[in-house]
Amino acid sequence: MKITPVYNWIKNNLSNSCLLCLAAPDEAQSNICHACLADLPWQQACCARCALPLPHASTRCGRCLATPPAFCHAVVPLLYRFPLDALIPAFKYRRHNRYGLLLARLLADHLQQHLAEPEALIPELLVPVPMHPKRQAQRGYNQAFELTRDLAGALHLPCRAGLLLRARQTAAQEGLDAAARRRNLRGAFTCPHPAQLEGLHLALIDDVMTTGATLDEASRTLLAAGAASVQVWCVARTP
């Protein structure tokens, strides 16, 4: 069997189906049905500063009370559990763009509600967490930038890549504990054009928040370059 006919059948017959169960969507232009949307591992209670899942809602977790992160708060609507632990790697490492569009939509929908709150701080610029050029060349793209671009369009906010760069190629964070992650990331970022960040309120975008070490170090770099504040937006949070 030729691959092209199979590909065309999948494209034409499954492109409008729910990405998780392949059922017909509940509304036009939707890539997830209402049942699957409701079954996603939504955050229920978390630290208001770093979005760490907690038994009950709290203004600060113990870690944030002891060592507050540089960012002012994190907005992370989902937990890194099934099916997010399959969707995100497929988007991140295998460039399944339809999964990326779904992830961006889930985050954007949550952020629209968050930013509508009276006390919400609306960022003036969205900044993706950068990859080192060598790693990005190997992978072919930066999933954080892809998310940022989709979020910018959905929320009608500007985004800029190149204002925050990886100054050095760090070892992979997977498998490292929190202290080792922080050591690994010291001096990892740089801002080549600090004048373009002066006085701006920023949102730093990434796919998954684990210990928060990467986002903390990146936020410190942005603040040192002159940003007024940095908040963090991610799709999913690990426990």
Side-chain angles (χ1 to χ4, degrees), residues 114-121:
H114 169 75
L115 296 176
E117 297 175 0
E119 68 276 12
L121 176 61

Side-chain angles (χ1 to χ4, degrees), residues 10-231:
I10 292 173
K11 180 179 179 182
N12 293 331
N13 290 276
L14 299 185
S15 59
N16 292 324
S17 301
C18 172
L19 286 176
L20 301 183
C21 70
L22 300 183
D26 300 291
E27 56 192 55
Q29 306 303 319
S30 178
N31 48 13
I32 186 171
C33 68
H34 288 168
C36 287
L37 184 66
D39 281 343
L40 291 176
W42 298 100
Q43 282 261 39
Q44 299 300 321
C46 64
C47 171
R49 186 71 177 262
C50 74
L52 180 71
L54 297 172
H56 51 81
S58 175
T59 55
R60 298 287 189 276
C61 66
R63 184 184 300 168
C64 288
L65 287 172
T67 311
F71 51 84
C72 57
H73 68 270
V75 180
V76 191
L78 291 154
L79 297 173
Y80 192 68
R81 296 175 181 166
F82 182 83
L84 277 299
D85 57 359
L87 294 176
I88 291 177
F91 167 57
K92 186 172 184 175
Y93 300 113
R94 297 191 293 278
R95 202 168 190 173
H96 287 196
N97 291 329
R98 291 191 69 211
Y99 294 160
L101 291 172
L102 172 60
L103 297 170
R105 177 204 156 184
L106 295 172
L107 181 53
D109 287 350
H110 182 83
L111 285 165
Q112 285 176 339
Q113 299 178 36
H114 169 75
L115 296 176
E117 297 175 0
E119 68 276 12
L121 176 61
I122 299 177
E124 298 167 280
L125 188 64
L126 309 186
V127 178
V129 172
M131 296 176 66
H132 190 272
K134 288 184 179 179
R135 185 166 294 172
Q136 184 165 337
Q138 292 172 346
R139 188 177 297 178
Y141 69 108
N142 177 6
Q143 79 282 350
F145 173 73
E146 302 294 328
L147 282 173
T148 304
R149 184 173 55 187
D150 291 337
L151 282 176
L155 300 175
H156 306 291
L157 293 171
C159 68
R160 284 282 304 277
L163 296 180
L164 178 68
L165 301 177
R166 286 266 184 173
R168 60 182 179 84
Q169 188 169 7
T170 57
Q173 292 283 83
E174 289 83 357
L176 301 179
D177 60 23
R181 284 171 180 255
R182 288 192 295 271
R183 291 193 298 270
N184 186 43
L185 288 161
R186 284 174 189 158
F189 299 100
T190 185
C191 293
H193 308 291
Q196 298 181 34
L197 295 169
E198 186 70 34
L200 293 183
H201 296 284
L202 308 176
L204 187 61
I205 318 298
D206 207 356
D207 53 351
V208 178
M209 185 174 183
T210 306
T211 66
T214 298
L215 295 158
D216 185 31
E217 182 66 23
S219 297
R220 291 182 190 281
T221 304
L222 291 167
L223 292 168
S229 70
V230 180
Q231 57 186 293

